[in-house]
Amino acid sequence: NEMFRKETKSHSISSERTFPFDLTDQYTQETEILELAQDVMFRLLKEKGYSRTIFLKLRYDDFTTVSIQKTFDQNIKTLDSFFEQLIPLFEQKKEKDRGIRLIGVGFENVETIERPEQQSLFDDNEKKKQIVENAILKLNQKHPEIKVQKARTLKTTILCLFFSFLFFKAPSLYADNVTHNTGASAILSDTLSS
């Protein structure tokens, strides 16, 4: 008897962003990579896909484009592991003191059937992260108006509004409470009465 193995079709999942200005700050560049990685990872989870190959694409201020990919022995199963593997690729391809106009990340050779792989010593931690990420995916599917994301990827506008509230609104509320709670007006009226 001959056994036939059904070959699965593979494809890629990717996301890229073009910026209206050159990104020169490394923290900002890496945060953009994290945001793109989050989008790609959740699309992979939604498809119930698996991949061992990741890639990164950069376009510089002079529109020169470079890319790099790497294949691992294990499937990339969490956003954290995806991001942690993208950063060394970024550091390998990033040219110092050059602005970046486009960043792209993705998975190559995405399949819907998981290939057997050797268990790792750190599988428990990875499995916990997978459970959390699958719960986030289900929440996003059930309530698309709710967007759960890493705190690092929050846009500065939201952060500015939050800090503005804390520093400008909250102190005035605090000051009103202090005035009323300490009885400063009573002290003033006592002084005027004497």
Side-chain angles (χ1 to χ4, degrees):
N1 288 343
E2 272 187 61
M3 291 186 64
F4 292 96
R5 196 175 113 183
K6 183 180 176 183
E7 291 294 320
T8 60
K9 290 184 179 180
S10 69
H11 64 284
S12 64
I13 298 175
S14 64
S15 185
E16 61 184 37
R17 184 169 298 134
T18 302
F19 308 102
F21 50 85
D22 298 338
L23 293 184
T24 54
D25 175 64
Q26 184 165 344
Y27 184 82
T28 304
Q29 295 164 344
E30 289 178 3
T31 301
E32 290 295 335
I33 291 170
L34 177 59
E35 195 170 307
L36 291 165
Q38 181 170 307
D39 176 52
V40 172
M41 188 72 214
F42 281 100
R43 286 173 45 208
L44 180 74
L45 291 174
K46 189 176 182 179
E47 285 187 21
K48 295 181 175 34
Y50 303 94
S51 179
R52 298 173 185 211
T53 304
I54 64 172
F55 69 88
L56 173 82
K57 175 180 169 182
L58 302 174
R59 181 166 296 141
Y60 292 105
D61 49 4
D62 65 355
F63 297 99
T64 304
T65 304
V66 295
S67 61
I68 185 171
Q69 74 175 31
K70 185 171 182 179
T71 301
F72 300 92
D73 294 333
Q74 306 269 346
N75 287 323
I76 304 295
K77 296 182 180 180
T78 66
L79 172 58
D80 287 345
S81 60
F82 184 32
F83 179 65
E84 288 167 8
Q85 298 301 332
L86 284 167
I87 293 304
L89 298 182
F90 173 68
E91 290 170 353
Q92 189 176 342
K93 281 296 180 181
K94 182 186 178 315
E95 293 182 25
K96 189 176 179 181
D97 300 327
R98 289 195 65 190
I100 295 177
R101 273 299 171 107
L102 176 142
I103 299 175
V105 303
F107 289 107
E108 290 283 346
N109 306 319
V110 174
E111 297 178 345
T112 55
I113 298 174
E114 186 174 16
R115 294 181 187 182
E117 53 188 40
Q118 184 175 349
Q119 293 284 352
S120 166
L121 293 173
F122 306 104
D123 274 351
D124 284 343
N125 195 24
E126 286 289 303
K127 285 182 183 180
K128 288 176 185 176
K129 288 179 182 180
Q130 282 180 287
I131 290 168
V132 169
E133 289 177 0
N134 280 312
I136 291 170
L137 176 66
K138 287 177 185 173
L139 178 67
N140 285 340
Q141 288 174 329
K142 190 172 181 176
H143 299 285
E145 70 279 5
I146 299 173
K147 185 172 181 179
V148 179
Q149 61 191 42
K150 296 267 187 189
R152 181 175 175 174
T153 64
L154 290 173
K155 294 297 180 193
T156 53
T157 306
I158 295 170
L159 293 174
C160 287
L161 289 172
F162 175 73
F163 286 118
S164 294
F165 175 78
L166 282 179
F167 293 115
F168 297 112
K169 185 68 175 165
S172 66
L173 292 173
Y174 178 73
D176 288 345
N177 289 338
V178 170
T179 303
H180 294 296
N181 291 336
T182 60
S185 59
I187 294 171
L188 182 58
S189 62
D190 286 344
T191 308
L192 294 175
S193 304
S194 341

